[in-house]
Amino acid sequence: MTVRTRSTQVSVDAIDTVLPAGTDPPTAVNTAAVLFRNAAVRLGGRLVWSGVDVEVAAGEFVAVLGPNGVGKSTLLKAALGLLPLSVGRAVVLDRPPGRARAEIGYLPQRRSFDPSVRIRGIDIVRLGVDGHRWGLPLPGGERGRAAGRRVAELVELVGATGYAHQPIGRLSGGEQQRLLIAQALARRPRLLLLDEPLDSLDPHNAAAVAALIRTICQRAGVTVLMVAHDVNPILSSLDRVVYLAGGGAVSGSPTEVITSATLSRLYQTPIEVLTASDGRMVVVGQPEPPAAHTDRHVGTGHS
Amino acid sequence: MIVAAAADAGLSWNLVRDVRQMFAYPFMVNAFRAGTVVAVTAGATGWFMVLRRQTFAGHTLAVAGFPGAAGAVWLGLGATYGYFAFCLAAAFLIAAIPTAGGAAAGRAAESATVGTVQAFALACGFLFVNLYKGFLGGVNALLFGSFLGITDGMVLTLTAVAVAILAVLALFGRPLLFASLDPAVATAAGVPVRALSVAFLILLGSTAAEVSQITGTLLVFTLLVIPAATAQILTTRPALSLALTVLFGLLVTWAGLTVAYYSPYPIGFFITSFSFSLYLLARLAVHAHDLLDRTARTPHPARASA
Ligand SMILES: Nc1ncnc2c1ncn2[C@@H]1O[C@H](COP(=O)(O)OP(=O)(O)OP(=O)(O)O)[C@@H](O)[C@H]1O
Ligand SMILES: [Mg+2]
């Protein structure tokens, strides 16, 4: 048996390569990147949530928290315009949802490619760069080469260089997740919608990827809306927390929402928020992320 | 008459002369033309089909061509029109399956409906064959393929359809790849996933109709699946894998036509055997390569302890 050690390092130097083109963070502040007003979504005849007011300012790092099945993924899909609101209004990057897709990077919840998918990791990242374009790239054309360079940058950025050339189906869940994050960053998005990006990562890797996302948010002024079950890796970088529970949403600063009383009430289970010796907050006793739950089919597409 | 001409042709073991002699027959020239066109189209569409795991749908579309061709012959029209009409109708039928209840639910509904369509198509085919009693000998050709009697007009039709299919694939290929591998992200990126999946079924129906004319409806997989499966075993690079698929399709078709010319047995058998051998070889090669790789990387215990 040979054991390959794989790079867990995230190259923060390469961060500037994900700067969205033509965005100037200071002027972008004060306009809401994502806005829901009295919004409701109905799925299969059931009201998932209603009366939701969420406002995410440009450049903010926001966590969406809440127990299983309250509609966190639904919130992201509504922001993407993949699900219509039954009531209320939403504005995403100054447009109705669905009109700003080119400027949004999306990472759906927990998907894995099964082992028989014979496509390399870099091909998956490449799809994020120009997979939406019609027509074939000319072999050896300037556009194709630029896309190739971009893919290499992205792969290095998420620290996946060691395994990006292998078939995606053979990689571990965490390795696939890193490549999918690279894919979400491919078009230099102004808004990142990440659905549990840290699950299936070990604590060390979760911290590294959380740091990467925070750096992208801070340096490039990218707005991040991230669904999470374990808030500890991102607690220190959060600007705002959106809590979904009981068919509605509560939003506020982390110090307001992440308190023992609020969390215990929302999750209906005793949760403690402790302050560590270095001043960082730690959430103890929160529900474990679900092991096998998924909101989309595992495997590749058949539609 | 044509069969007699083919039977006359013996192997002389002089390759150039044999090939020249084979191409002296216009029906053989047309067979090669049609085979080449069909192999390229089947390779390109089949590659996407294998990637999308729609081989069952592909098979059903091909089987749907059988009653079409039998019915067309019974009505005195050319089998070609029957293939296209029925394969395309089946494609629309399968495309109409709603996938609203989540992707997985849609898939289950899809395979059940696809199976139903397939069974009904076979039953209709046998009815038409029975209605047209004098035609029974032709059933073999419809099911297992024939390269005899391909007219210039058929070659022209096949080529026109092939050019259309390849042009559409060239235009849609990249978003189709995205939609096939990762429908959720593709939708979020603005790719019309549902429309592409309908468009692909129509391409698949047209391709199945084309391939049926050479391999017969039951052996369509020979050109639609095996070359793509073989190429995807050998490489993970999309462009290379697509090119290999087309190359393998061409090789087995040409080899199959040549051998069938010198033998009394049906062409479908030869094309299928050749592609199957190629597939086995590819599997073996990859297996051997993995094994060598592993032994090369494992440190020798004796040396390690020394
Ligand atoms: N297509 C659908 N039709 C009907 N109901 C649906 C559909 N999709 C999701 N739901 C329901 O909507 C609710 C919210 O689902 P969602 O996936 O948004 O939850 P979530 O908060 O992301 O949960 P988790 O933490 O488990 O990911 C769930 O109760 C789910 O059963
Ligand atoms: Mg979810």
Side-chain angles (χ1 to χ4, degrees):
Chain A
M1 268 298 294
T2 52
V3 178
R4 276 170 297 167
T5 48
R6 284 175 171 175
S7 157
T8 54
Q9 215 49 56
V10 167
S11 81
V12 173
D13 294 341
I15 217 89
D16 293 331
T17 61
V18 300
L19 272 166
T23 311
D24 198 5
T27 59
V29 169
N30 295 332
T31 61
V34 179
L35 181 84
F36 283 91
R37 277 277 171 270
N38 190 31
V41 166
R42 195 175 279 281
L43 275 178
R46 198 170 70 83
L47 205 56
V48 179
W49 36 251
S50 58
V52 166
D53 289 303
V54 171
E55 190 173 339
V56 177
E60 275 188 332
F61 191 136
V62 178
V64 179
L65 307 176
N68 287 141
V70 289
K72 303 181 296 297
S73 302
T74 306
L75 186 75
L76 295 197
K77 287 176 195 164
L80 275 165
L82 297 178
L83 293 175
L85 296 181
S86 57
V87 180
R89 171 172 94 81
V91 179
V92 176
L93 298 174
D94 307 318
R95 273 156 285 181
R99 292 287 173 75
R101 283 176 181 165
E103 291 176 272
I104 300 178
Y106 176 47
L107 181 83
Q109 186 173 5
R110 220 178 318 251
R111 54 217 170 107
S112 54
F113 295 90
D114 74 63
S116 65
V117 177
R118 301 281 297 161
I119 289 288
R120 294 170 302 173
I122 55 163
D123 298 318
I124 294 292
V125 178
R126 173 71 183 259
L127 285 175
V129 177
D130 59 6
H132 60 285
R133 291 224 178 95
W134 303 102
L136 291 178
L138 287 177
E142 180 46 43
R143 231 184 197 182
R145 259 180 289 142
R149 280 195 300 273
R150 176 97 190 111
V151 169
E153 278 169 15
L154 288 161
V155 165
E156 199 194 323
L157 181 71
V158 298
T161 315
Y163 46 83
H165 284 263
Q166 291 186 27
I168 187 98
R170 293 236 192 123
L171 299 178
S172 79
E175 289 165 345
Q176 292 187 19
Q177 190 76 305
R178 276 173 180 253
L179 288 164
L180 291 171
I181 291 172
Q183 185 198 49
L185 293 171
R187 282 160 87 181
R188 302 171 206 269
R190 283 171 59 201
L191 171 63
L192 275 177
L193 300 176
L194 307 173
D195 204 339
E196 302 191 27
L198 304 183
D199 82 353
S200 77
L201 296 177
D202 61 53
H204 175 68
N205 275 304
V209 171
L212 169 72
I213 295 168
R214 179 180 53 228
T215 317
I216 289 165
C217 175
Q218 287 169 354
R219 286 233 223 143
V222 175
T223 313
V224 179
L225 192 58
M226 175 184 198
V227 176
H229 277 291
D230 182 6
V231 284
N232 288 325
I234 49 171
L235 206 48
S236 58
S237 20
L238 288 179
D239 295 309
R240 190 192 295 269
V241 173
V242 174
Y243 246 101
L244 285 176
V250 180
S251 135
S253 69
T255 45
E256 286 162 23
V257 180
I258 303 189
T259 62
S260 304
T262 319
L263 289 190
S264 302
R265 184 169 52 79
L266 289 167
Y267 277 103
Q268 296 180 327
T269 184
I271 292 176
E272 266 193 278
V273 179
L274 307 173
T275 307
S277 54
D278 58 355
R280 283 184 307 156
M281 287 193 296
V282 181
V283 178
V284 185
Q286 67 175 336
E288 286 293 309
H293 176 86
T294 171
D295 76 335
R296 60 174 264 176
H297 61 103
V298 169
T300 52
H302 310 257
S303 32
Chain B
M1 172 197 79
I2 293 170
V3 181
D8 279 349
L11 261 178
S12 72
W13 301 110
N14 176 340
L15 207 63
V16 179
R17 225 193 72 196
D18 284 342
V19 168
R20 198 174 297 154
Q21 191 201 28
M22 186 165 71
F23 284 126
Y25 295 103
F27 78 91
M28 245 1 249
V29 176
N30 274 349
F32 267 87
R33 283 186 186 144
T36 304
V37 166
V38 162
V40 172
T41 321
T45 315
W47 188 79
F48 282 100
M49 183 189 73
V50 169
L51 199 77
R52 293 170 65 81
R53 291 166 205 198
Q54 285 189 313
T55 48
F56 188 46
H59 186 229
T60 301
L61 292 177
V63 167
F66 170 56
V73 171
W74 174 48
L75 292 174
L77 308 165
T80 306
Y81 302 108
Y83 279 126
F84 279 113
F86 271 57
C87 288
L88 284 177
F92 280 109
L93 203 66
I94 294 175
I97 298 165
T99 41
R107 214 182 329 153
E110 183 172 298
S111 61
T113 316
V114 168
T116 312
V117 170
Q118 185 171 353
F120 185 60
L122 269 176
C124 287
F126 283 112
L127 174 71
F128 293 147
V129 164
N130 274 312
L131 285 173
Y132 184 77
K133 296 206 173 53
F135 170 63
L136 269 166
V139 177
N140 261 343
L142 291 186
L143 289 179
F144 299 106
S146 157
F147 62 103
L148 302 175
I150 295 173
T151 61
D152 289 346
M154 273 171 75
V155 173
L156 208 65
T157 312
L158 289 178
T159 311
V161 174
V163 167
I165 292 173
L166 293 175
V168 172
L169 268 184
L171 183 65
F172 286 2
R174 222 171 0 172
L176 182 64
L177 184 66
F178 200 175
S180 307
L181 288 170
D182 207 340
V185 178
T187 311
V191 173
V193 173
R194 177 89 180 117
L196 277 177
S197 114
V198 172
F200 183 71
L201 275 173
I202 293 166
L203 287 185
L204 194 55
S206 318
T207 309
E210 293 235 325
V211 182
S212 298
Q213 329 232 346
I214 300 290
T215 62
T217 50
L218 289 187
L219 294 179
V220 160
F221 265 21
T222 299
L223 288 180
L224 213 49
V225 177
I226 307 182
T230 310
Q232 290 187 16
I233 287 172
L234 290 176
T235 177
T236 48
R237 293 164 181 268
L240 181 62
S241 155
L242 190 56
L244 276 180
T245 303
V246 171
L247 180 72
F248 291 156
L250 283 174
L251 284 180
V252 296
T253 307
W254 289 339
L257 278 168
T258 309
V259 174
Y261 170 74
Y262 289 107
S263 101
Y265 303 110
I267 177 163
F269 168 73
F270 293 112
I271 300 191
T272 309
S273 316
F274 292 148
S275 6
F276 184 61
S277 321
L278 214 55
Y279 178 80
L280 279 187
L281 273 179
R283 278 235 106 112
L284 271 177
V286 168
H287 193 69
H289 182 266
D290 281 357
L291 218 65
L292 280 177
D293 218 32
R294 219 170 302 156
T295 41
R297 265 200 259 162
T298 314
H300 200 277
R303 236 180 290 150
S305 60

